[in-house]
Amino acid sequence: MGDMTYLWDDPAAFADDALAGFCELHADVVRQVPGGAVRRARPQRPKVAVLPGGGSGHYPAFYGIIGPGLADGAVSGNLFTSPSAQDAYSVAKAAHSGAGVVFGYGNYAGDVMNFGLATDRLRAEGIAVDNVVVTDDIASAPESEAQRRRGIAGDFAVFKIMGAAAEEGMDLAGVVRVGRKANERTRTIGTAFAGCTFPGAPEPLFSVPDAQMGLGLGIHGEPGLRDVPLPSAGELAADFVSRVLAEKPADAGERVAVLLNGLGAVKQEELLVLWRPVAALLRESGHVPVLPEVGEFVTSLDMAGVSLTVTWLDDELERLWTAPAWTPAFRRGRTADEPQAVRPEAGEPRADEPVVEYSPASDESRRLAEHVLVALRQVASALGGAESELGAIDAVAGDGDHGRGMVRGIGAALVAAEEAQRAGAGAGDCLVAAGDGWAARAGGTSGVLWGAGLRAAGEALGDRGGSAEVAAAAVNALTTRITTLGGAAVGDKTLVDALEPFRAELLSAVAAGAPAAAAWSRAAEAADEAARNTAELVPRKGRARPLAERSIGTPDPGAVSTALIARTIADHLTGELR
Amino acid sequence: MGDMTYLWDDPAAFADDALAGFCELHADVVRQVPGGAVRRARPQRPKVAVLPGGGSGHYPAFYGIIGPGLADGAVSGNLFTSPSAQDAYSVAKAAHSGAGVVFGYGNYAGDVMNFGLATDRLRAEGIAVDNVVVTDDIASAPESEAQRRRGIAGDFAVFKIMGAAAEEGMDLAGVVRVGRKANERTRTIGTAFAGCTFPGAPEPLFSVPDAQMGLGLGIHGEPGLRDVPLPSAGELAADFVSRVLAEKPADAGERVAVLLNGLGAVKQEELLVLWRPVAALLRESGHVPVLPEVGEFVTSLDMAGVSLTVTWLDDELERLWTAPAWTPAFRRGRTADEPQAVRPEAGEPRADEPVVEYSPASDESRRLAEHVLVALRQVASALGGAESELGAIDAVAGDGDHGRGMVRGIGAALVAAEEAQRAGAGAGDCLVAAGDGWAARAGGTSGVLWGAGLRAAGEALGDRGGSAEVAAAAVNALTTRITTLGGAAVGDKTLVDALEPFRAELLSAVAAGAPAAAAWSRAAEAADEAARNTAELVPRKGRARPLAERSIGTPDPGAVSTALIARTIADHLTGELR
């Protein structure tokens, strides 16, 4: 089930309920009034009231940014619906402290009419009022008709600057002037990956075809430029940056406020991934991002999408953009408690990888190391081939990353072992290095277990050459280390269910005098069968413990990969002897 | 297209790229090190390093909360995968300032092992290290086996308290003690509405059946208690609060830290809607929420879900919970710039609805008012019946709320008109009241236009009684007001396309001497036909302007509702004459 709004009591009252919840949660900062909310703290002297407004469904726009340094109140309509003139009038009356009022809103017909009517009514009562209409969306009209453009995430940059201006004591004309200047120097391009759904609605307001995105699509689903194939983060960054920079104002300098805005269902980690190429491209073009912001500023319910806003700053705008603010959703400026000593970059201790020193290796051990490396490569290849199957098995009751984790781990192990071999290490030290590499790079349960197990195997091998007995001793050490560290027993549905039968069969075969290849083949057979049998078990350890019946019928992915490793090495030994 | 991760360059490097983007964005606060990140500012004197950690995909957990008053660093693994022991060791070495290190993590096998190994290694180097393992998820094991529970959003409360303790200078034993105390007094219950999807994965990690939720489901999709039908916000609040309060510790008081945590795809507005009943139920049970937090604290990529965490505070825990913090994702405590004057609640001016006073009405006008009220009720009923159809038409190129907006508007108009009638108003004043009610309550473009239009009609009607000519004059005034205010012309694909032909036909028929019912019927016919013909038009006004071809073939919803209103009144007049 995808794009949805899940939580409500009465769909028709959703916007009202959210506003009421907000005002209750932040009762120390805001006070609800008919039509919206205002700051609870009355200004110490009259100041211009900066009042952003518009439809609901865009949190933190607009009531989330009420507070010192930003808005004095916010006018809040129903979902994606402009507030009424009465709403705007009511909030203005409550917020007015004697120095006038300025409404800020995006350029939509309903907002323009309703705020316009409220302005007339307030003026008729002798209150000084003006309006700043935001038109930052470059996809909504050509540059030659910029005054017809819609307002989207640029709202935030413009209102932040207006809020700071009012806070520092500018008069109404001044706040309006900097707001309009900020708007004239602000450009936004947005895109949507999937639509949003109203509370209680049976289907999304609009949709975007699979593997496509709606470039330039508006924050209420208004048509954009066109649908294009879903790009990589780097490609999207390049497209966004080039479109915005193509409209750089003639007199603009290099310093820019930047907003990378998530529209709802895009997660912060994704925005952070996108931020790097955006920042790099802005810098390459000679721009300097000043206190850039990455997060949610003007959303569209649960729409999946993102937008990039650039405001070209002059000295005045930079002063206002960087000024402190303290609101429920946006806080800038520091507390008094912050330690001021900045960590020196140069000469400080770094926690790098431990430097490994190898004991001199015997010729025998160095020869064995070559075999170990070949076997590791074959295991890497086998795990690579099984990655998606292992992932699918793991996804039944786990998080589906077992295949990826094992591939990542064996890859790191191989790199470390090759490095050790180049440095003259023998087989034992190569396995120790492989184990440390696996543990350091792969993480997770399988990473720590295989890492420690390979290290134990390498320590058991030491500087000796190859023999069936030596290999069995190494497997014995690996198994003991893994079972001790992991704390799992046979029957817990873990890799131990494959590993213990493997060890038992190998030790028994070698003790009975079987050659290495034959002993490993028999042991690998036992591991295979045991791994298959884990399908009948219920996990008793780890994350899926409480009610993990859903894994019944599926073997444990750790046991399956263990059996695969055993089989691959057995085949390697058999092949060597042919 | 639902639950997805949309933005990445290399799916396998997603977690690394997000961490790097974070460290670049917040380079003033954090510094990337192998395995995670640490504060950039070095403490002025040695302090305990508080180091939360775990897999990635849970932003702001864990690197988002690095900063003064909270974490000294964070150990960050791959997606939903514990970091390696080497990662933890590396971050600890970089963060250690001489007063020891404490790792904080949720109770998962991989984390326990890897942080355990890192602890051994650091101790072997003579660094004082300890661990606080969080076990707040009441759905993951019974209370009698609380030590086996998983750690979920309670992580944040525990780490916030530990961070404040370290910041105020507590030693290692003290920080560990308060961390464990906080954990023992913290309970969380969570639920999931829909699964999450790894970058590049073809399908979600897990899914929840439609219209169900997975109660108690873990933050990596671990099985929970059971699937239950999707409740309302109020029902969910009641279930969550009762489950958490059932585990109130024996010695606990009434003061509680509260987290209402969104898991990813649930929006802030939804959390705010849920907050009200949660807060009410906590208060009803005698609890006092202390600086409650509603937002995202421990997420699961784009999982749709929510959790409630309660920490029972004693004096020491409350001091630490409420202490200031300044991190990229969480900021508490105030800037110096905040005005301190708090708005007095009593005696302040309120912006209430304007008080309407009616001129004395003639008997004729009062009789006409009765007909007006009946007609308004019939219009309300007709619009109610057409609500979903109007919404569907509007959703083609608009935001789908036209039906809801009209129903809301006519409802408010009716309430206001009835109130005016009870106060003795005539037909003209009833229509004025209806218009003002519609405009004030409905918002949006249709709200302001119909509100102003009805007011104009009422003013034209004045205190007169009913006649075909008077009704035509009222329609004429309404039409002129709406077209002037909206600025749309015939052919722009708006309600004007139905309204203008209606007016023209009505005026012409009345001028030719037709009786009211016949004239309205002919005019309504013209409006109907004109509304249907709007399907051939492309909008030239309003939100859908730039590339609104997608609405071709669908009539304009405003024109359709206008024709419906005309038809309803015509039928009313015809019925009256029968």
Side-chain angles (χ1 to χ4, degrees), chain B residues 291-449:
Chain B
L291 297 191
E293 293 287 342
V294 176
E296 296 189 344
F297 298 92
V298 178
T299 62
S300 298
L301 289 172
D302 61 334
M303 189 187 299
V306 62
S307 63
L308 173 67
T309 299
V310 171
T311 301
W312 278 270
L313 301 170
D314 60 13
D315 289 348
E316 181 181 52
L317 294 181
E318 180 162 342
R319 182 185 80 237
L320 299 169
W321 170 249
T322 57
W326 188 273
T327 75
F330 179 79
R331 294 168 187 187
R332 173 170 286 174
R334 296 307 172 76
T335 61
D337 304 281
E338 190 201 11
Q340 292 304 312
V342 167
R343 183 185 293 270
E345 277 295 343
E348 65 189 283
R350 291 245 175 211
D352 291 325
E353 307 291 314
V355 176
V356 181
E357 288 178 14
Y358 305 106
S359 344
S362 67
D363 290 349
E364 265 191 304
S365 183
R366 276 213 282 265
R367 277 196 296 278
L368 181 58
E370 287 172 27
H371 291 286
V372 166
L373 267 293
V374 172
L376 283 176
R377 281 187 205 106
Q378 291 178 341
V379 169
S381 164
L383 287 172
E387 177 178 349
S388 61
E389 185 201 336
L390 291 171
I393 296 173
D394 187 32
V396 173
D399 62 7
D401 72 343
H402 182 72
R404 186 176 289 180
M406 292 297 286
V407 168
R408 192 180 167 108
I410 188 69
L414 193 53
V415 167
E418 285 169 342
E419 203 169 288
Q421 192 195 22
R422 276 197 301 276
D429 282 343
C430 282
L431 278 180
V432 167
D436 289 355
W438 191 320
R441 295 277 171 236
T445 313
S446 64
V448 63
L449 292 177

Side-chain angles (χ1 to χ4, degrees), chain B residues 507-575:
Chain B
L507 293 184
S508 147
V510 169
W520 278 73
S521 286
R522 278 168 49 189
E525 188 71 28
D528 263 341
E529 188 187 338
R532 280 195 304 276
N533 290 341
T534 59
E536 307 310 313
L537 300 173
V538 179
R540 288 208 300 265
K541 294 281 301 178
R543 301 187 346 201
R545 179 155 29 91
L547 280 177
E549 287 84 1
R550 70 161 109 159
S551 80
I552 294 179
T554 306
D556 177 66
V560 171
S561 58
T562 300
L564 178 64
I565 291 168
R567 164 63 54 205
T568 305
I569 298 175
D571 289 352
H572 166 70
L573 293 172
T574 307

Side-chain angles (χ1 to χ4, degrees), chain B residues 83-112:
Chain B
S84 70
Q86 173 67 26
D87 291 334
Y89 171 83
S90 157
V91 172
K93 289 283 277 187
H96 183 231
S97 61
V101 169
V102 52
F103 292 121
Y105 47 89
N107 185 30
Y108 300 92
D111 293 300
V112 171

Side-chain angles (χ1 to χ4, degrees), chain B residues 29 40 76 91 114 117 136 180 213 223 281 294 325 337 366 397 427 449 451 461 480 496 540:
Chain B
V29 181
R40 181 167 295 283
S76 195
V91 172
N114 280 296
L117 287 175
D136 59 313
R180 290 185 182 151
M213 68 173 194
L281 290 162
V294 176
D337 304 281
R366 276 213 282 265
L449 292 177
L461 217 52
T480 299
V496 171
R540 288 208 300 265

Side-chain angles (χ1 to χ4, degrees), chain B residues 190-285:
Chain B
T191 194
F193 309 121
C196 54
T197 306
F198 278 8
E203 50 185 45
L205 186 53
F206 69 96
S207 57
V208 177
D210 274 10
Q212 302 255 310
M213 68 173 194
L215 184 65
L217 209 129
I219 58 170
H220 314 95
E222 298 93 335
L225 299 173
R226 61 180 169 279
D227 289 347
V228 299
L230 200 58
S232 72
E235 291 162 351
L236 183 62
D239 186 63
F240 269 14
V241 170
S242 71
R243 285 177 190 275
V244 168
L245 294 191
E247 291 209 10
K248 179 175 181 168
D251 63 339
E254 62 187 10
R255 298 180 69 78
V256 286
V258 186
L259 292 173
L260 192 58
N261 174 61
L263 281 163
V266 166
K267 299 317 306 159
Q268 185 72 13
E269 284 99 335
E270 300 179 78
L271 296 176
L272 292 169
V273 167
L274 183 60
W275 170 247
R276 289 185 80 198
V278 166
L281 290 162
L282 286 172
R283 289 202 191 92
E284 275 171 30
S285 70

Side-chain angles (χ1 to χ4, degrees), chain A residues 1-3 5-9 11-12 14 17-18 20-22 24-25 28 31 34 39-42 57-59 68 78-82 84 86-87 90 93-94 108 110 113-114 117 121 140 148 150 193-194 198 205 210 221-225 232-234 236 264 267-270 272-273 275-276 279 283 292 294 296 301 304 324 326 331-334 337-339 341 343-345 348 350-351 353-354 399-401 404 408 439-440 443-445 448-449 485 543 545-547 550, chain B residues 1-3 5-9 11-12 14 17-18 20-22 24-25 28 31 34 39-42 57-59 68 78 80-82 84 86-87 90 93-94 108 110 113-114 117 121 140 148 150 193-194 198 205 210 220-225 232-234 236 264 267-270 272-273 275-276 279 283 292 294 296 301 304 324 326 331 333-334 337-339 341 343-345 348 350-351 354 395 399-401 404 408 439-440 443-445 448-449 485 543 545-547 550:
Chain A
M1 189 88 212
D3 324 310
T5 300
Y6 298 91
L7 289 167
W8 69 84
D9 284 313
F14 182 84
D17 289 348
F22 175 85
E24 190 171 320
L25 179 66
D28 54 330
R31 186 170 69 87
R39 286 193 212 170
R40 182 166 295 282
R42 198 184 272 288
H58 304 299
Y59 190 90
N78 205 347
L79 290 176
F80 290 9
T81 304
S82 90
S84 70
Q86 174 66 26
D87 292 334
S90 157
K93 289 283 278 187
Y108 300 92
M113 279 190 276
N114 281 297
L117 287 174
R121 187 166 163 199
S140 58
R148 295 176 54 207
R150 301 182 294 245
F193 309 122
F198 278 7
L205 185 54
D210 274 11
E222 298 94 336
L225 300 174
S232 71
L236 183 62
K267 300 317 306 160
Q268 186 71 16
E269 284 98 335
E270 299 179 79
L272 292 169
V273 167
W275 171 247
R276 289 184 79 197
R283 288 200 192 93
V294 175
E296 295 188 346
L301 290 170
W326 187 274
R331 295 170 187 185
R332 172 170 286 173
R334 296 306 172 77
D337 305 279
E338 189 201 11
R343 183 185 292 271
E345 278 295 344
E348 64 190 284
R350 290 245 174 211
E353 306 291 316
D399 62 8
D401 71 345
R404 187 177 288 181
R408 193 180 166 108
T445 314
V448 64
L449 293 176
L485 187 60
R543 302 188 343 203
R545 180 156 28 91
L547 280 177
R550 70 161 109 160
Chain B
M1 188 92 211
D3 324 308
T5 299
Y6 297 92
L7 289 168
W8 69 83
D9 284 313
F14 182 84
D17 289 348
F22 175 85
E24 190 171 320
L25 180 65
D28 54 331
R31 186 170 67 89
R39 285 194 212 171
R40 181 167 295 283
R42 196 185 273 288
H58 303 299
Y59 190 91
N78 205 347
F80 289 9
T81 304
S82 89
S84 70
Q86 173 67 26
D87 291 334
S90 157
K93 289 283 277 187
Y108 300 92
M113 278 190 276
N114 280 296
L117 287 175
R121 186 164 162 201
S140 58
R148 294 176 56 208
R150 301 183 292 245
F193 309 121
F198 278 8
L205 186 53
D210 274 10
H220 314 95
E222 298 93 335
L225 299 173
S232 72
L236 183 62
K267 299 317 306 159
Q268 185 72 13
E269 284 99 335
E270 300 179 78
L272 292 169
V273 167
W275 170 247
R276 289 185 80 198
R283 289 202 191 92
V294 176
E296 296 189 344
L301 289 172
W326 188 273
R331 294 168 187 187
R334 296 307 172 76
D337 304 281
E338 190 201 11
R343 183 185 293 270
E345 277 295 343
E348 65 189 283
R350 291 245 175 211
D399 62 7
D401 72 343
R404 186 176 289 180
R408 192 180 167 108
T445 313
V448 63
L449 292 177
L485 187 59
R543 301 187 346 201
R545 179 155 29 91
L547 280 177
R550 70 161 109 159

